[in-house]
Amino acid sequence: MNILLDIGAFLATARAGSFSAAGRDLGVATSVITKRVKRLEEHLNTQLFVRTTRRLALTVDGEQLRPRLQLLVGEIEDTLARPSTHELGLTGSLRIKAPTTLASMFFGDVCAAFQAENPRVKIELVLIDRSVNPLEEGFDVAVGALPQSYAYVIDHPLCPYPRLLCAAPSYLESRRRPKTPTELVGHECITFHTVGTTWTFQMETSALNVEITSNFTANDSRILLAAARQGLGLAILPRFLAQSDLDSGALEEVMPEFPVEPLWVKASVPRIKMNKNVVAEFISYVQKRFAEGIPDQVIPAF
């Protein structure tokens, strides 16, 4: 049993980034976490973390062991969590990651509806606006539209995530409207923090990357929408978020003949987690809800 506690301490520390944070997550003292990690290192005869006064980082051996141990723990948790044959209805727990804007405007309702239909299922929805490896960070499902994929993780496509370049009329009146992506150089641009300052546009036979200058950045698309409304610059926004402003004239689409690189919303699940009935049922439910795409939202003015 000690070895399972030691593995749990290692995985919690790798996920949290420090012994003290891992202790808080597991509800034990920091000294208990350090003792368990040290004991695991002695058992494996290898160092798992590089410790400095400022940070804690995984060693090469630690990086290689982490996904394998996470898979092992997942199998044990799944075995112990199997419901009794006498239980009625779907049971279990789901720890889900989703982006802030998508979750608050659409996906959160999907999760709530699933739980309402399956009241014996416990859901924890965590909002994170970056790509997450669900295996390493302890999620059953990670929903997002960023293209990164991970080993031992299965990506389930959900629906297209169309985006467009747009700006307020006040900005376009004060600056020369760009006609090609290369003309974005010198323009004020509003950027999503995780995506960065490289914008990709679809050409007839290839893609074109453009390095832009950002004067305003945030990790929530609704904040970028508000900045674009204020005429701060050009912004790439999801269509479902910007459509009502396009319809009202508060925003205008720019360079529609050069579409922004398309993305897909996907649900990423650690391979071992697909053995859990509650996960498989949730993925099936989410796929049905996303089948017609993300509905356009009417967003009140900020």
Side-chain angles (χ1 to χ4, degrees):
M1 183 59 70
N2 278 345
I3 189 65
L4 294 179
L5 293 174
D6 298 345
I7 292 172
F10 162 68
L11 293 174
T13 303
R15 182 168 60 249
S18 71
F19 294 123
S20 58
R24 289 193 296 271
D25 289 346
L26 296 180
V28 298
T30 302
S31 59
V32 173
I33 297 295
T34 56
K35 178 181 178 180
R36 290 176 180 175
V37 171
K38 182 178 180 181
R39 192 164 57 197
L40 182 62
E41 289 178 324
E42 291 174 350
H43 179 82
L44 298 172
N45 193 30
T46 188
Q47 185 176 354
L48 299 173
F49 293 101
V50 177
R51 303 163 179 83
T52 70
T53 56
R54 293 188 175 184
R55 63 190 295 267
L56 192 69
L58 286 166
T59 62
V60 173
D61 285 343
E63 289 279 8
Q64 293 176 344
L65 280 168
R66 182 180 182 182
R68 294 165 58 190
L69 292 177
Q70 190 69 65
L71 283 171
L72 174 64
V73 170
E75 288 187 358
I76 293 172
E77 290 177 344
D78 180 58
T79 300
L80 296 178
R82 292 187 186 277
S84 167
T85 56
H86 300 292
E87 291 179 341
L88 298 176
L90 193 63
T91 63
S93 61
L94 290 168
R95 187 166 186 260
I96 305 164
K97 170 267 175 187
T100 302
T101 303
L102 183 63
S104 61
M105 298 178 63
F106 176 64
F107 184 65
D109 289 341
V110 174
C111 293
F114 179 81
Q115 205 275 337
E117 293 184 15
N118 302 278
R120 297 171 65 88
V121 174
K122 180 180 179 181
I123 290 180
E124 178 188 359
L125 179 59
V126 182
L127 308 188
I128 301 176
D129 289 303
R130 59 175 171 82
S131 180
V132 163
N133 183 335
L135 177 62
E136 293 185 353
E137 300 200 33
F139 290 98
D140 296 298
V141 181
V143 171
L146 296 175
Q148 289 89 338
S149 294
Y150 301 96
Y152 308 110
V153 174
I154 301 171
D155 291 334
H156 300 268
L158 298 179
C159 72
Y161 189 77
R163 301 179 298 157
L164 72 159
L165 181 67
C166 57
S170 59
Y171 177 81
L172 296 173
E173 291 169 1
S174 65
R175 305 290 294 270
R176 182 177 179 180
R177 181 188 289 262
K179 295 181 179 180
T180 66
T182 56
E183 293 180 16
L184 292 175
V185 177
H187 270 274
E188 303 292 344
C189 296
I190 303 166
T191 55
F192 191 80
H193 179 75
T194 306
V195 174
T197 56
T198 301
W199 285 356
T200 303
F201 297 87
Q202 297 298 112
M203 311 293 282
E204 288 187 2
T205 58
S206 63
L208 175 64
N209 294 326
V210 179
E211 288 294 324
I212 52 89
T213 301
S214 175
N215 65 324
F216 190 101
T217 186
N219 64 348
D220 188 306
S221 295
R222 291 168 299 181
I223 296 176
L224 303 185
L225 173 65
R229 283 173 174 160
Q230 293 294 323
L232 298 187
L234 296 155
I236 292 177
L237 295 171
R239 181 172 288 278
F240 82 93
L241 182 66
Q243 189 60 55
S244 61
D245 286 272
L246 295 171
D247 293 340
S248 69
L251 294 177
E252 296 180 17
E253 187 172 3
V254 178
M255 297 190 308
E257 61 273 24
F258 296 98
V260 177
E261 179 187 33
L263 296 177
W264 270 78
V265 181
K266 62 182 179 179
S268 301
V269 181
R271 188 176 64 196
I272 186 63
K273 297 289 187 178
M274 287 305 299
N275 293 330
K276 293 176 63 175
N277 189 39
V278 66
V279 173
E281 290 292 330
F282 179 73
I283 292 299
S284 177
Y285 182 86
V286 169
Q287 287 175 325
K288 293 176 183 176
R289 289 293 301 268
F290 275 85
E292 296 182 1
I294 305 169
D296 295 338
Q297 303 291 322
V298 178
I299 313 299
F302 282 74

Short mmCIF file of all heavy atoms in Angstrom, two decimals, residues 181-207:
data_model
loop_
_atom_site.label_atom_id
_atom_site.label_comp_id
_atom_site.label_asym_id
_atom_site.label_seq_id
_atom_site.Cartn_x
_atom_site.Cartn_y
_atom_site.Cartn_z
N PRO A 181 -2.85 39.18 -45.91
CA PRO A 181 -2.27 38.94 -44.59
C PRO A 181 -0.95 39.68 -44.36
O PRO A 181 -0.67 40.11 -43.24
CB PRO A 181 -2.07 37.42 -44.56
CG PRO A 181 -3.16 36.90 -45.45
CD PRO A 181 -3.26 37.90 -46.56
N THR A 182 -0.14 39.83 -45.40
CA THR A 182 1.14 40.50 -45.21
C THR A 182 0.98 41.97 -44.84
O THR A 182 1.88 42.57 -44.25
CB THR A 182 2.00 40.39 -46.48
OG1 THR A 182 1.26 40.91 -47.60
CG2 THR A 182 2.37 38.93 -46.76
N GLU A 183 -0.18 42.54 -45.13
CA GLU A 183 -0.43 43.93 -44.79
C GLU A 183 -0.81 44.13 -43.32
O GLU A 183 -1.03 45.26 -42.87
CB GLU A 183 -1.52 44.51 -45.70
CG GLU A 183 -1.11 44.62 -47.15
CD GLU A 183 -2.22 45.18 -48.02
OE1 GLU A 183 -3.18 45.76 -47.47
OE2 GLU A 183 -2.12 45.05 -49.26
N LEU A 184 -0.86 43.03 -42.56
CA LEU A 184 -1.14 43.15 -41.14
C LEU A 184 0.05 43.74 -40.37
O LEU A 184 -0.11 44.23 -39.25
CB LEU A 184 -1.48 41.78 -40.55
CG LEU A 184 -2.80 41.16 -41.01
CD1 LEU A 184 -2.96 39.76 -40.45
CD2 LEU A 184 -3.97 42.04 -40.58
N VAL A 185 1.22 43.66 -40.96
CA VAL A 185 2.40 44.25 -40.32
C VAL A 185 2.17 45.75 -40.17
O VAL A 185 1.84 46.45 -41.12
CB VAL A 185 3.66 43.98 -41.16
CG1 VAL A 185 4.87 44.67 -40.53
CG2 VAL A 185 3.90 42.48 -41.29
N GLY A 186 2.32 46.22 -38.94
CA GLY A 186 2.10 47.63 -38.68
C GLY A 186 0.72 47.94 -38.13
O GLY A 186 0.48 49.04 -37.63
N HIS A 187 -0.18 46.96 -38.19
CA HIS A 187 -1.52 47.16 -37.62
C HIS A 187 -1.50 46.83 -36.13
O HIS A 187 -0.69 46.03 -35.65
CB HIS A 187 -2.54 46.27 -38.32
CG HIS A 187 -3.18 46.92 -39.51
ND1 HIS A 187 -4.28 47.73 -39.41
CD2 HIS A 187 -2.85 46.87 -40.83
CE1 HIS A 187 -4.62 48.17 -40.62
NE2 HIS A 187 -3.76 47.66 -41.50
N GLU A 188 -2.42 47.45 -35.39
CA GLU A 188 -2.63 47.09 -33.99
C GLU A 188 -3.45 45.80 -33.96
O GLU A 188 -4.45 45.67 -34.65
CB GLU A 188 -3.40 48.20 -33.26
CG GLU A 188 -2.74 49.57 -33.31
CD GLU A 188 -1.45 49.60 -32.52
OE1 GLU A 188 -1.23 48.67 -31.71
OE2 GLU A 188 -0.65 50.53 -32.71
N CYS A 189 -3.00 44.84 -33.16
CA CYS A 189 -3.67 43.54 -33.12
C CYS A 189 -3.98 43.13 -31.68
O CYS A 189 -3.23 43.45 -30.75
CB CYS A 189 -2.80 42.47 -33.79
SG CYS A 189 -2.54 42.75 -35.57
N ILE A 190 -5.07 42.44 -31.54
CA ILE A 190 -5.55 41.95 -30.24
C ILE A 190 -5.41 40.44 -30.26
O ILE A 190 -5.94 39.78 -31.16
CB ILE A 190 -7.02 42.37 -30.04
CG1 ILE A 190 -7.16 43.89 -30.14
CG2 ILE A 190 -7.55 41.86 -28.71
CD1 ILE A 190 -8.60 44.36 -30.28
N THR A 191 -4.72 39.86 -29.28
CA THR A 191 -4.35 38.45 -29.38
C THR A 191 -4.81 37.63 -28.18
O THR A 191 -4.90 38.13 -27.06
CB THR A 191 -2.83 38.29 -29.54
OG1 THR A 191 -2.17 38.95 -28.45
CG2 THR A 191 -2.36 38.89 -30.84
N PHE A 192 -5.06 36.35 -28.46
CA PHE A 192 -5.35 35.37 -27.42
C PHE A 192 -4.02 34.89 -26.87
O PHE A 192 -3.14 34.45 -27.62
CB PHE A 192 -6.15 34.21 -28.00
CG PHE A 192 -6.72 33.28 -26.97
CD1 PHE A 192 -7.88 33.62 -26.29
CD2 PHE A 192 -6.10 32.08 -26.68
CE1 PHE A 192 -8.41 32.76 -25.34
CE2 PHE A 192 -6.62 31.23 -25.73
CZ PHE A 192 -7.78 31.57 -25.05
N HIS A 193 -3.85 34.95 -25.56
CA HIS A 193 -2.54 34.73 -24.94
C HIS A 193 -1.91 33.39 -25.33
O HIS A 193 -0.73 33.31 -25.67
CB HIS A 193 -2.68 34.82 -23.41
CG HIS A 193 -1.41 34.57 -22.68
ND1 HIS A 193 -0.39 35.51 -22.62
CD2 HIS A 193 -0.96 33.49 -21.98
CE1 HIS A 193 0.61 35.02 -21.91
NE2 HIS A 193 0.30 33.80 -21.51
N THR A 194 -2.71 32.32 -25.31
CA THR A 194 -2.17 30.99 -25.58
C THR A 194 -1.72 30.82 -27.02
O THR A 194 -0.75 30.12 -27.30
CB THR A 194 -3.22 29.92 -25.24
OG1 THR A 194 -3.68 30.11 -23.90
CG2 THR A 194 -2.63 28.52 -25.37
N VAL A 195 -2.41 31.47 -27.95
CA VAL A 195 -2.08 31.34 -29.37
C VAL A 195 -0.83 32.11 -29.74
O VAL A 195 -0.03 31.69 -30.57
CB VAL A 195 -3.28 31.79 -30.23
CG1 VAL A 195 -2.91 31.78 -31.71
CG2 VAL A 195 -4.48 30.88 -29.97
N GLY A 196 -0.62 33.27 -29.11
CA GLY A 196 0.57 34.05 -29.38
C GLY A 196 0.41 35.01 -30.55
O GLY A 196 -0.70 35.35 -30.95
N THR A 197 1.53 35.43 -31.11
CA THR A 197 1.53 36.48 -32.13
C THR A 197 1.78 35.96 -33.54
O THR A 197 2.16 36.72 -34.43
CB THR A 197 2.58 37.55 -31.79
OG1 THR A 197 3.86 36.93 -31.65
CG2 THR A 197 2.23 38.26 -30.49
N THR A 198 1.61 34.66 -33.75
CA THR A 198 1.68 34.09 -35.11
C THR A 198 0.27 33.75 -35.57
O THR A 198 -0.39 32.90 -34.99
CB THR A 198 2.56 32.83 -35.15
OG1 THR A 198 3.88 33.14 -34.70
CG2 THR A 198 2.63 32.29 -36.57
N TRP A 199 -0.19 34.46 -36.58
CA TRP A 199 -1.52 34.20 -37.14
C TRP A 199 -1.37 33.44 -38.45
O TRP A 199 -0.51 33.78 -39.27
CB TRP A 199 -2.27 35.51 -37.36
CG TRP A 199 -2.79 36.12 -36.09
CD1 TRP A 199 -2.71 35.60 -34.84
CD2 TRP A 199 -3.48 37.37 -35.97
NE1 TRP A 199 -3.30 36.44 -33.94
CE2 TRP A 199 -3.80 37.53 -34.59
CE3 TRP A 199 -3.87 38.36 -36.87
CZ2 TRP A 199 -4.46 38.65 -34.10
CZ3 TRP A 199 -4.55 39.48 -36.38
CH2 TRP A 199 -4.84 39.61 -35.02
N THR A 200 -2.21 32.44 -38.65
CA THR A 200 -2.12 31.59 -39.84
C THR A 200 -3.38 31.75 -40.68
O THR A 200 -4.49 31.63 -40.15
CB THR A 200 -1.92 30.12 -39.45
OG1 THR A 200 -0.76 30.00 -38.63
CG2 THR A 200 -1.75 29.26 -40.69
N PHE A 201 -3.18 31.98 -41.98
CA PHE A 201 -4.30 32.17 -42.90
C PHE A 201 -4.21 31.12 -44.00
O PHE A 201 -3.12 30.69 -44.39
CB PHE A 201 -4.27 33.58 -43.50
CG PHE A 201 -4.44 34.67 -42.49
CD1 PHE A 201 -3.34 35.19 -41.81
CD2 PHE A 201 -5.70 35.18 -42.19
CE1 PHE A 201 -3.49 36.19 -40.85
CE2 PHE A 201 -5.86 36.18 -41.25
CZ PHE A 201 -4.75 36.68 -40.57
N GLN A 202 -5.38 30.73 -44.52
CA GLN A 202 -5.45 29.74 -45.58
C GLN A 202 -5.34 30.42 -46.94
O GLN A 202 -6.12 31.32 -47.26
CB GLN A 202 -6.76 28.97 -45.50
CG GLN A 202 -6.94 28.17 -44.21
CD GLN A 202 -5.88 27.10 -44.06
OE1 GLN A 202 -5.04 27.19 -43.17
NE2 GLN A 202 -5.90 26.10 -44.92
N MET A 203 -4.36 29.99 -47.74
CA MET A 203 -4.22 30.44 -49.11
C MET A 203 -4.86 29.37 -50.01
O MET A 203 -5.43 28.40 -49.52
CB MET A 203 -2.75 30.64 -49.46
CG MET A 203 -1.98 31.47 -48.43
SD MET A 203 -2.52 33.20 -48.35
CE MET A 203 -1.67 33.84 -49.79
N GLU A 204 -4.78 29.55 -51.30
CA GLU A 204 -5.41 28.58 -52.22
C GLU A 204 -4.82 27.20 -52.09
O GLU A 204 -5.54 26.20 -52.11
CB GLU A 204 -5.28 29.08 -53.66
CG GLU A 204 -6.16 30.29 -53.99
CD GLU A 204 -6.11 30.63 -55.46
OE1 GLU A 204 -5.42 29.91 -56.21
OE2 GLU A 204 -6.77 31.61 -55.87
N THR A 205 -3.50 27.11 -51.97
CA THR A 205 -2.85 25.80 -51.94
C THR A 205 -1.98 25.59 -50.72
O THR A 205 -1.35 24.54 -50.59
CB THR A 205 -1.97 25.61 -53.20
OG1 THR A 205 -0.99 26.65 -53.25
CG2 THR A 205 -2.82 25.64 -54.45
N SER A 206 -1.93 26.54 -49.82
CA SER A 206 -1.04 26.42 -48.66
C SER A 206 -1.53 27.33 -47.54
O SER A 206 -2.55 28.01 -47.67
CB SER A 206 0.40 26.77 -49.05
OG SER A 206 0.48 28.13 -49.48
N ALA A 207 -0.78 27.35 -46.46
CA ALA A 207 -1.07 28.22 -45.33
C ALA A 207 0.02 29.29 -45.23
O ALA A 207 1.18 29.06 -45.60
CB ALA A 207 -1.16 27.43 -44.04
#
